[in-house]
Amino acid sequence: MDVAYLDLKKIHNKIQIELDEAYQQVMDRQWFIGGKADKDFEEAFASYCGASQCVGCGNGLDAIRLILLAYGIGQGDEVIVPANTFIATVLAITYVGATPIFVDADKDTYNIDVRQIEDKITVKTKAIIVVHLYGRAVDVTKVKIIADKYNLKVIEDAAQAHGAKLGGVRVGNLGDAAAFSFYPGKNLGALGDGGAVITNDKEIAERIRAYGNYGSYIKYNHVFQGCNSRLDEIQAAFLLIKLRYLDQWNKERRQIAEIYQEKIENKKVILPTLPQNMEEHVFHIYPILVADRIDFINYMKKKKITVNIHYPIPIMEQKAYEQYREQVDFYPVTKMICSQEVSLPLYPGMTKKQIDWVIQCINEF
């Protein structure tokens, strides 16, 4: 039986008529940037996150970069960031000229180890970026206590966590500002690229919008050295449709994760530690750890099951950031995760037969 890692057809086929209608409405209006669909989606997504402001942009990386620019973070500043994350989080920091200060992962959550943050703070520190990795919310309540003590901004990288919660509050509304990606494979994905910033600070939201509009609040009047990063109308229209189904899709993801958690029984496979309140996790990824990862992946491939890896090489070992290479041994948990993590197939629309086949194959490994 073939099991894809992700099958977007299962998601899109059920809403194809609505997506077609959304596309046609944009075509009828012939307004492709900064129009009705953008406005409607920004209002809807802000409301969904429980915040007052949403600014659409080109992608998730831009969303983080625009937040940093809006807060005036740049050359000579330091930003605390998890060592275990996708490179985009760090690229945003170095794009604005700031320095990333890495913190190792928590061995239970794979998110930033909050207990290690305070030791990394210096007089140059301006912000803490928390990444809600794999769809699990970081305990931002504890992070904010530290941030308030040192007058730091808390920025959420929520690119993998659309709809996740902490204590009943959705991510995006936990820190000072939050960055989202709408890359097609995300829990809320566009049919192309896209991103957004969520915040309750109207002034920051307006500044972010200006930075993404060539540094301009008013046409042909440029206050900042900005960039061109806006969410286009067609993607906003598609996202507005898909937002209606997000909670349902996240519920399906949780159900699949719970089945995996209950039925996978193999001592060679370490399952993730889950939060007590499963409503807080949206399972963008279901990560397991396997010491002999290559053998496992090849085995699953023979069984016609596609798995994935997030992420195989620590940022400090990437050529792009080779200046940090000698630091990699300071982050043993991150290094272990990078060498052993395997992401199992998990998406809305997976059949019981597919789920059972994945479990059977893993248990027989």
Side-chain angles (χ1 to χ4, degrees), residues 43-233:
E43 289 179 356
F45 193 55
S47 176
Y48 177 82
C49 293
S52 63
Q53 308 292 320
C54 174
V55 181
C57 60
N59 52 68
L61 190 159
D62 279 357
I64 305 171
R65 180 166 62 115
L66 291 168
I67 293 170
L68 294 170
L69 287 169
Y71 281 127
I73 296 171
Q75 198 71 39
D77 297 329
E78 295 178 350
V79 178
I80 289 174
V81 66
N84 185 38
T85 187
F86 181 53
I87 197 170
T89 317
V90 181
L91 285 171
I93 296 170
T94 56
Y95 273 177
V96 301
T99 301
I101 303 298
F102 297 103
V103 173
D104 203 7
D106 182 287
K107 63 181 178 61
D108 293 323
T109 67
Y110 306 157
N111 279 325
I112 191 169
D113 189 338
V114 177
R115 297 164 299 183
Q116 297 186 37
I117 290 176
E118 191 164 9
D119 289 341
K120 298 297 183 83
I121 295 173
T122 72
V123 293
K124 296 181 179 180
T125 308
K126 292 296 185 293
I128 302 168
I129 295 182
V130 296
V131 181
H132 304 301
L133 203 64
Y134 310 148
R136 180 172 185 166
V138 176
D139 190 346
V140 180
T141 305
K142 293 180 180 179
V143 178
K144 286 181 74 174
I145 292 172
I146 299 169
D148 289 345
K149 181 178 177 181
Y150 295 94
N151 194 30
L152 306 176
K153 297 298 180 184
V154 176
I155 300 168
E156 300 174 70
D157 179 342
Q160 299 184 4
H162 314 71
K165 296 178 181 178
L166 179 70
V169 179
R170 291 196 197 277
V171 302
N173 200 23
L174 297 171
D176 293 291
F180 286 85
S181 165
F182 303 126
Y183 182 78
K186 304 296 186 184
N187 293 36
L188 179 62
L191 274 64
D193 226 331
V197 174
I198 290 287
T199 183
N200 286 302
D201 189 326
K202 186 176 180 181
E203 182 181 345
I204 285 295
E206 290 176 349
R207 198 177 302 164
I208 286 169
R209 193 180 299 281
Y211 264 110
N213 187 37
Y214 302 100
S216 173
Y217 289 99
I218 302 170
K219 193 170 185 179
Y220 300 133
N221 287 271
H222 304 275
V223 182
F224 311 112
Q225 294 180 19
C227 62
N228 176 16
S229 184
R230 298 169 294 191
L231 181 64
D232 73 64
E233 279 286 289

